[in-house]
Amino acid sequence: MTPRYSSVTEIQKDLGSGVITLTELVQYYLDRIQQNQHLNAFVEVYAEEVVSRAKEVESKIKSGTAGRLAGMVVGLKDNLCYKDHVVTASSKILEGFTSLYTSTAVQRLLDEDAIIIGRLSCDEFAMGSSNEKSVYGPVLNPVNEKCVPGGSSGGSAAAVAADLCLAALGSDTGGSIRQPAAYTNVIGLKPTYGRISRYGLIAYASSFDQIGPLTHSLEDAFLLLDVMSGPDGFDGTLYNEKYTLSEVEAKPLKIAVLKDCLYREGLNVEIKERFLSLIEKLKNEGHTIEEVNFPFVDQLVPTYYVLTTAEASSNLSRFDGIHYGYRAKEAKGIEETYKKSRTEGFGTEVKRRIMLGTFVLSSGYYDAYYSRAQKVRRVIQNKTNEILSQFDVIITPTTADTAFEMGKKSADPIAMYLEDIFTVQANLSGHPAISIPLGKKKNEMPFGVQLLGPSFQENHLLQAARQLEKCISGF
Ligand code: GLN
């Protein structure tokens, strides 16, 4: 569907000229959420709070003191802490848990006068590719309600796509922003690892996790990045320079196409055809495109799963039935409390990953799996850097196919894991990557194109994405 507004600039223009008031705008989104409850994207709506907040921001607009995000109505993935608001990572184990502090990313949105409208469902602990694994039940894809919206930030993608809010925050550990963005026809940006503080993001795999925006426009995505980025003193892996949005002059691009992705069995023919015609079009417009080898495509997903499950098994050890959320009722003694609370509180997929992660870290297997996967990660990083030393960007389809029918991959974890075949590279290497809508299959299901660029050079990624977007809109 076409959203009423596709960027905050449009909103600010209408607010300025009196076409709409902020109170009316907030009401518009509240009504949309109400009418689309069946999508199951929002698990909580801050209805009263946003009305008073709209008034507050309105008076700031009048007095000329409003921040850069005044007019932006944003939804939050259910793994971002927001003080005095419930956060559960869509897991039973965090049932009823209220944040004690606000994450840096969310605080910075508030400081620039964004309005946070509610909390969005995700796969439990951000583990998944379909948003079927949420304690709140599956989220539906607004494009086709029989299909999944992708995951794990499926609630965020569905909410933006269905115009329930202007933008949403998600988190991307292996593709969880870009894959659902592609499946719902919106833009999804995973910044360079270290760009946005992870303070207040419920950890899944700490050396992979990045917060990022899902939006309708490139300008909103990079504006949100600008607002959220930069040091805060709370995340030791944070880059010490903030990102500042600036439009880099458009120049012909040198683009690398990964042969091993493009000619891979399993890439849907309609996606491939459209991708190839995009390449033709880009060539005709004066860009240089070369097919390059990336011989590690088969290693991407296994390496990702060894390392992320290892990190998850450690990160999730804090959920013990004592400190947070859910505690098993009948448990006696500390050990039984741990065991029963974790057995009852975690879902099957999360348990699978904790066990796998514990296994790859256990003595005797550490060298064979964990330590080896770390080395493979380095090889993948080096190869990606080598390609990016010769090219401005790497392009691939975001996903091998479009959104699948609900339930289709539930019984097959490997098929689900392979959903991320083209997206995990950027998380293993740390590079920024973005998915923008590329087209639709004959059955109307959307898909995206992914651009991966050099670390901490998001303005170059923006410039490249702008050129691609222009090119795509013309055919
Ligand atoms: N689908 C991937 C996983 O299940 C990615 C999740 C993510 O990026 N949070 O781990």
Side-chain angles (χ1 to χ4, degrees):
M1 67 163 294
T2 317
R4 174 149 174 198
Y5 289 105
S6 34
S7 75
V8 71
T9 319
E10 284 174 16
I11 291 178
Q12 287 171 348
K13 210 167 120 227
D14 276 6
L15 289 173
S17 62
V19 170
I20 194 167
T21 67
L22 196 46
T23 304
E24 285 162 356
L25 181 70
V26 161
Q27 198 52 54
Y28 166 77
Y29 286 120
L30 289 173
D31 292 344
R32 295 275 319 152
I33 294 172
Q34 184 72 27
Q35 291 150 13
N36 288 280
Q37 267 181 14
H38 65 285
L39 295 176
N40 206 20
F42 276 95
V43 295
E44 192 181 350
V45 183
Y46 312 138
E48 279 175 30
E49 213 175 291
V50 288
V51 172
S52 59
R53 174 106 172 121
K55 298 229 162 65
E56 218 178 278
V57 178
E58 245 160 13
S59 67
K60 282 194 180 180
I61 296 175
K62 279 203 191 90
S63 62
T65 57
R68 300 160 80 194
L69 301 184
M72 193 181 265
V73 178
V74 186
L76 298 182
K77 183 173 179 178
D78 185 22
N79 61 356
L80 286 155
C81 293
Y82 181 14
K83 194 173 191 297
D84 298 330
H85 294 75
V86 170
V87 64
T88 73
S90 294
S91 177
K92 182 174 170 185
I93 205 144
L94 276 169
E95 199 174 85
F97 177 75
T98 302
S99 294
L100 301 170
Y101 62 90
T102 300
S103 52
T104 298
V106 173
Q107 188 57 52
R108 293 199 171 150
L109 298 191
L110 294 169
D111 292 346
E112 289 294 344
D113 291 325
I115 293 181
I116 310 289
I117 195 162
R119 182 160 61 95
L120 294 156
S121 178
C122 59
D123 281 302
E124 186 179 359
F125 281 100
M127 297 173 184
S129 300
S130 67
N131 219 135
E132 293 165 294
K133 306 256 169 63
S134 161
V135 73
Y136 305 104
V139 175
L140 314 189
N141 189 326
V143 182
N144 176 343
E145 294 178 3
K146 288 199 186 75
C147 292
V148 303
S152 62
S153 316
S156 305
V160 175
D163 205 22
L164 314 185
C165 49
L166 179 70
L169 295 191
S171 64
D172 193 311
T173 305
S176 276
I177 291 177
R178 291 159 286 154
Q179 183 251 23
Y183 281 5
T184 56
N185 211 31
V186 300
I187 291 169
L189 170 65
K190 181 201 87 78
T192 313
Y193 180 80
R195 241 336 169 193
I196 298 177
S197 173
R198 289 176 292 109
Y199 180 71
L201 168 70
I202 295 178
Y204 159 18
S206 307
S207 77
F208 293 75
D209 299 340
Q210 262 302 285
I211 297 166
L214 292 105
T215 62
H216 289 291
S217 66
L218 288 171
E219 69 180 279
D220 280 359
F222 288 82
L223 173 62
L224 282 164
L225 177 61
D226 179 328
V227 168
M228 292 188 285
S229 75
D232 64 351
F234 295 126
D235 174 354
T237 61
L238 207 55
Y239 190 55
N240 54 13
E241 254 171 58
K242 94 174 268 318
Y243 161 77
T244 306
L245 167 60
S246 76
E247 298 283 347
V248 180
E249 201 194 325
K251 59 170 179 54
L253 298 165
K254 235 186 134 201
I255 302 173
V257 175
L258 303 187
K259 252 196 257 176
D260 309 76
C261 294
L262 186 56
Y263 301 112
R264 203 183 158 75
E265 214 185 305
L267 177 61
N268 173 274
V269 285
E270 288 181 64
I271 297 183
K272 186 169 169 183
E273 259 172 37
R274 176 93 179 154
F275 186 84
L276 288 171
S277 40
L278 171 65
I279 289 176
E280 267 324 293
K281 181 112 195 287
L282 286 165
K283 278 188 191 156
N284 293 340
E285 291 190 358
H287 302 286
T288 311
I289 312 224
E290 265 176 51
E291 288 186 1
V292 300
N293 289 319
F294 182 78
F296 308 113
V297 177
D298 287 335
Q299 279 72 39
L300 291 170
V301 170
T303 308
Y304 170 82
Y305 275 93
V306 170
L307 297 176
T308 54
T309 54
E311 293 187 25
S313 73
S314 162
N315 275 325
L316 271 59
S317 64
R318 74 191 67 173
F319 303 106
D320 54 7
I322 309 286
H323 294 97
Y324 311 89
Y326 178 77
R327 180 179 301 173
K329 304 271 169 320
E330 302 87 48
K332 288 181 204 70
I334 190 141
E335 200 170 321
E336 202 180 314
T337 304
Y338 287 166
K339 277 191 188 157
K340 281 207 166 139
S341 303
R342 287 169 70 82
T343 304
E344 292 166 19
F346 288 130
T348 314
E349 182 58 28
V350 175
K351 283 187 216 165
R352 189 189 340 262
R353 296 196 190 196
I354 292 173
M355 287 192 280
L356 184 59
T358 308
F359 172 75
V360 300
L361 286 173
S362 59
S363 85
Y365 293 103
Y366 184 96
D367 285 340
Y369 294 105
Y370 183 73
S371 164
R372 186 180 290 186
Q374 289 286 29
K375 290 177 192 150
V376 179
R377 183 179 196 180
R378 173 60 68 190
V379 171
I380 290 166
Q381 273 166 351
N382 290 348
K383 184 70 193 170
T384 310
N385 277 323
E386 186 195 310
I387 298 173
L388 287 171
S389 68
Q390 291 152 28
F391 294 88
D392 296 310
V393 280
I394 297 172
I395 63 171
T396 64
T398 308
T399 54
D401 209 333
T402 50
F404 50 91
E405 268 184 41
M406 207 81 64
K408 195 173 157 203
K409 299 195 178 179
S410 304
D412 185 355
I414 305 288
M416 196 69 98
Y417 296 173
L418 284 169
E419 278 292 302
D420 300 313
I421 181 92
F422 300 148
T423 50
V424 289
Q425 182 185 358
N427 305 80
L428 284 158
S429 68
H431 292 99
I434 188 167
S435 174
I436 61 175
L438 172 60
K440 287 181 179 156
K441 281 205 236 170
K442 285 191 203 79
N443 66 5
E444 289 300 307
M445 293 311 285
F447 53 88
V449 55
Q450 172 181 245
L451 289 159
L452 188 157
S455 291
F456 301 110
Q457 295 187 37
E458 281 93 346
N459 278 328
H460 289 274
L461 193 65
L462 168 60
Q463 184 257 128
R466 281 223 189 279
Q467 302 206 53
L468 249 78
E469 201 180 47
K470 215 161 87 210
C471 192
I472 292 166
S473 69
F475 84 116

